[in-house]
Amino acid sequence: FQMDTTQESYLDLFPLDAIVYLTPDSENVLEDIDPNKVYVLGGLVDESIHKKLTLQRAQEQSLQTARLPIREYMVKTVNTKNYHSETLAINQVFDVLSTYYETRSWPAALKAGVSSGKGYVVPD
């Protein structure tokens, strides 16, 4: 993958209607990857999880939002901590998206990118 870095904001680099801000709090499910869209991964990195903070930021910037289809393709597992989280690290989101782009399979992509520690698994 080729990557460029810049100090400029994605808001200055791309048209607003082309940007999709990925947030686990979105009501919109990412069903497919549109090559004409720009996806914001980890637009807000924080040591603690603040519910709906990324959604709020996207809404303040008038951006489209989407979430990965974890609920649609995965099931909660029984675990001792009763822990289930749809919040992923940037590298996990990247792994999910790149695997989906290659395979066009959400189950395969989610299996590759969502660790079992999140409390979700792809059913057999």
Side-chain angles (χ1 to χ4, degrees):
F1 296 95
Q2 182 180 353
M3 201 173 0
D4 293 319
T5 59
T6 180
Q7 294 293 323
E8 294 179 80
S9 168
Y10 52 86
L11 298 171
D12 297 328
L13 295 172
F14 305 103
L16 288 183
D17 62 350
I19 301 171
V20 179
Y21 201 112
L22 297 179
T23 170
D25 300 310
S26 179
E27 293 179 11
N28 307 313
V29 178
L30 184 63
E31 295 180 15
D32 197 9
I33 296 173
D34 181 343
N36 296 311
K37 298 286 185 182
V38 175
Y39 296 91
V40 176
L41 315 184
L44 178 65
V45 179
D46 194 333
E47 291 298 319
S48 60
I49 297 171
H50 297 284
K51 201 75 174 135
K52 300 195 180 196
L53 195 56
T54 53
L55 179 63
Q56 180 183 346
R57 173 174 280 182
Q59 289 170 335
E60 288 169 357
Q61 297 172 342
S62 300
L63 299 175
Q64 301 170 68
T65 63
R67 65 174 172 78
L68 296 177
I70 292 173
R71 288 177 236 156
E72 288 70 20
Y73 292 95
M74 302 185 88
V75 295
K76 290 181 178 181
T77 57
V78 177
N79 59 56
T80 56
K81 296 179 183 175
N82 195 31
Y83 176 78
H84 302 92
S85 176
E86 295 179 43
T87 302
L88 305 178
I90 295 170
N91 62 307
Q92 291 172 312
V93 175
F94 183 82
D95 288 346
V96 169
L97 293 176
S98 61
T99 302
Y100 175 78
Y101 191 78
E102 291 172 12
T103 66
R104 291 305 204 224
S105 166
W106 282 117
L110 293 165
K111 194 173 196 175
V114 180
S115 69
S116 60
K118 293 292 179 177
Y120 287 91
V121 294
V122 175
D124 290 326

